[in-house]
């Protein structure tokens, strides 16, 4: 009934190869980091590809006991920007991996 069983075997090989490449990419992304700052460098965050904060540096001038809310806002802004950059980095790498598949945008 189905013709071209060899095509199915070829397709399975491609899927397996893509899975291996995806695993390798994920491992590489774990080691990559992004660095962002907010408040003109008052707060700096380094985050890895797993969205784990590797370092948080707060300039002494940013610590004002009379204005803790400002420091909280700076930390939140830096964290949010770092998370966004990691997402963009992951999407870019995923795009490289899936570009040859001919899939419609948004399928993966």
């Amino acid at each position: 009934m189905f013709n071209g069983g060899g095509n199915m075997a070829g397709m399975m090989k491609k899927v397996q190869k893509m899975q291996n490449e995806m695993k390798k990419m994920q491992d590489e992304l774990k080691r990559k980091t992004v660095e962002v700052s907010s408040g003109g460098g008052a707060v700096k965050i380094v985050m890895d590809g797993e969205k784990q904060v590797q370092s948080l540096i707060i300039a002494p001038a940013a610590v004002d006991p009379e204005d803790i809310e400002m420091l909280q806002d700076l930390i939140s802004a830096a964290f949010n920007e770092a998370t966004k950059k990691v997402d963009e980095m992951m999407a870019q790498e995923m795009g490289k991996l899936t570009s040859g598949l001919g899939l419609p945008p948004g399928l993966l």
Side-chain angles (χ1 to χ4, degrees):
M1 180 173 187
F2 291 105
N3 196 3
N7 288 341
M8 182 61 112
M11 175 78 98
M12 292 303 290
K13 266 188 166 177
K14 286 181 182 180
V15 168
Q16 187 174 23
K17 181 181 177 190
M18 189 178 89
Q19 286 175 330
N20 290 339
E21 289 174 3
M22 188 173 292
K23 172 72 170 124
K24 182 180 173 185
M25 180 196 69
Q26 289 171 335
D27 291 342
E28 289 173 10
L29 283 173
K30 288 177 186 179
R31 292 187 295 274
K32 289 186 177 185
T33 59
V34 298
E35 182 177 313
V36 299
S37 63
S38 66
V43 173
K44 182 168 54 168
I45 290 181
V46 176
M47 182 179 283
D48 68 20
E50 292 186 300
K51 297 183 182 176
Q52 299 296 307
V53 174
Q54 298 300 308
S55 68
L56 168 64
I57 299 169
I58 301 171
V63 181
D64 180 358
E66 301 298 318
D67 193 4
I68 295 298
E69 291 81 16
M70 181 191 68
L71 180 57
Q72 292 168 337
D73 289 344
L74 292 174
I75 293 170
S76 294
F79 181 82
N80 291 337
E81 181 65 22
T83 302
K84 180 180 172 185
K85 281 193 170 197
V86 169
D87 288 342
E88 290 170 355
M89 177 177 66
M90 294 175 86
Q92 183 179 18
E93 292 299 315
M94 185 64 78
K96 290 178 190 176
L97 184 64
T98 60
S99 65
L101 294 178
L103 297 174
L107 188 61
L108 286 178

